[in-house]
Amino acid sequence: MPSSTMQMLAFILALLGVLGATVATLLPNWKVSADVGSNIMTAISQMQGLWMDCTWYSTGVFSCTLKYSVLSLPAYLQTARTTMVLSCMMATLGLCLAALGLKCTHWGGSHRSKGHTALAAGACFVIAGVLCLVPASWFTNEVITTFMDSKVPKSSKYEPGGAVYVAFVSAGFFLAGGVIFCLSCPRNRNGPLDSGSSHPDKLLRQVANDRHKQKQHREQQSQTEPQEHCLKSFVCPTFNKTNESNTLVTSHFCPKI
């Protein structure tokens, strides 16, 4: 498969990862509890997310409460907030770099600079995948640990919600896209990354080589040129003098070369 096709596939995976991570960050169902009560106004479903807690009543009423206090939240929830936001930011930066590093585009500079940009985009996607995977794993571990604890009443036990699974899938998209981007620009053994250059660079290099060859040719031609040509092109000065018999004699003086 050509590297440009692999880059397009990685870009699509990363784009899906960004959408999934953003949705997972905003969804309120990171953990879900279902407790059916005898009263008609009893809550039948409780959901807790990173930013709000929502309750679904049997009458169809759905209410949510925002979590304003940050210090009162447990450590895993604070970490999940921070890492998910950082994951979305790193993935967005990776998309911007990937748009410049795609080989099928005409912007982004030469092939060498495109290769470095693609590697940077791949690194951003990998970091975003790790940042998205850590909170999802930690959050799931806390929910399962609490659920398996026999001291916790059944009404206070929760199960992992749909937002956790969306975060796991988004992390997989990030990691797959980042690895594909990094592998699409391999390094040469005898030289730097993608030593090829773009058409303007080749044209400038060719012009410089032609000028250098012309200069060498001129120097060789000036060194091997016969001395007679110099004598012909040199105008010898003329001197008039009178000999002993008072006769005007004209002589030419040419310097030796």
Side-chain angles (χ1 to χ4, degrees):
M1 183 182 295
S3 59
S4 59
T5 306
M6 294 178 61
Q7 285 186 344
M8 286 298 300
L9 176 62
F11 187 84
I12 294 175
L13 291 176
L15 183 60
L16 293 176
V18 172
L19 295 177
T22 304
V23 171
T25 304
L26 299 177
L27 282 178
N29 58 339
W30 277 70
K31 58 181 181 179
V32 180
S33 174
D35 184 22
V36 179
S38 58
N39 191 354
I40 192 173
M41 288 301 296
T42 302
I44 62 173
S45 180
Q46 294 179 353
M47 296 176 291
Q48 293 186 10
L50 301 181
W51 312 97
M52 64 182 68
D53 296 337
C54 297
T55 305
W56 182 271
Y57 296 94
S58 58
T59 56
V61 179
F62 187 79
S63 63
C64 294
T65 304
L66 294 176
K67 298 178 179 179
Y68 295 102
S69 179
V70 178
L71 298 178
S72 62
L73 299 176
Y76 73 93
L77 194 56
Q78 295 180 10
T79 305
R81 278 185 172 188
T82 305
T83 51
M84 288 301 295
V85 173
L86 289 177
S87 176
C88 295
M89 293 175 62
M90 289 297 298
T92 304
L93 177 61
L95 284 179
C96 297
L97 294 176
L100 298 176
L102 289 174
K103 293 183 178 180
C104 58
T105 58
H106 297 286
W107 57 76
S110 62
H111 290 301
R112 180 182 177 85
S113 59
K114 278 180 173 290
H116 288 293
T117 307
L119 283 177
C124 289
F125 291 144
V126 172
I127 295 173
V130 174
L131 291 175
C132 186
L133 185 62
V134 168
S137 302
W138 193 358
F139 201 97
T140 304
N141 180 65
E142 290 291 334
V143 172
I144 294 176
T145 302
T146 306
F147 185 85
M148 299 301 294
D149 191 359
S150 59
K151 297 180 181 179
V152 178
K154 292 183 179 180
S155 59
S156 300
K157 291 184 178 182
Y158 293 87
E159 296 179 354
V164 176
Y165 301 107
V166 175
F168 277 118
V169 174
S170 301
F173 284 156
F174 284 143
L175 294 175
V179 171
I180 293 175
F181 254 109
C182 293
L183 295 180
S184 64
C185 300
R187 288 182 177 272
N188 297 328
R189 293 183 178 179
N190 299 326
L193 172 71
D194 201 358
S195 59
S197 57
S198 61
H199 180 70
D201 294 339
K202 290 182 179 179
L203 183 60
L204 293 176
R205 187 178 299 178
Q206 184 177 2
V207 171
N209 291 335
D210 292 342
R211 290 182 179 178
H212 183 66
K213 290 180 181 180
Q214 292 178 0
K215 184 178 180 180
Q216 288 182 346
H217 179 70
R218 292 174 183 174
E219 291 178 355
Q220 293 178 358
Q221 187 176 12
S222 62
Q223 291 177 0
T224 58
E225 195 173 13
Q227 296 181 358
E228 288 81 2
H229 177 73
C230 296
L231 290 175
K232 290 180 181 180
S233 60
F234 187 83
V235 179
C236 301
T238 303
F239 300 94
N240 297 326
K241 65 179 180 179
T242 305
N243 56 6
E244 296 178 354
S245 58
N246 295 328
T247 303
L248 184 63
V249 179
T250 303
S251 61
H252 301 277
F253 173 77
C254 290
K256 294 183 179 181
I257 301 176

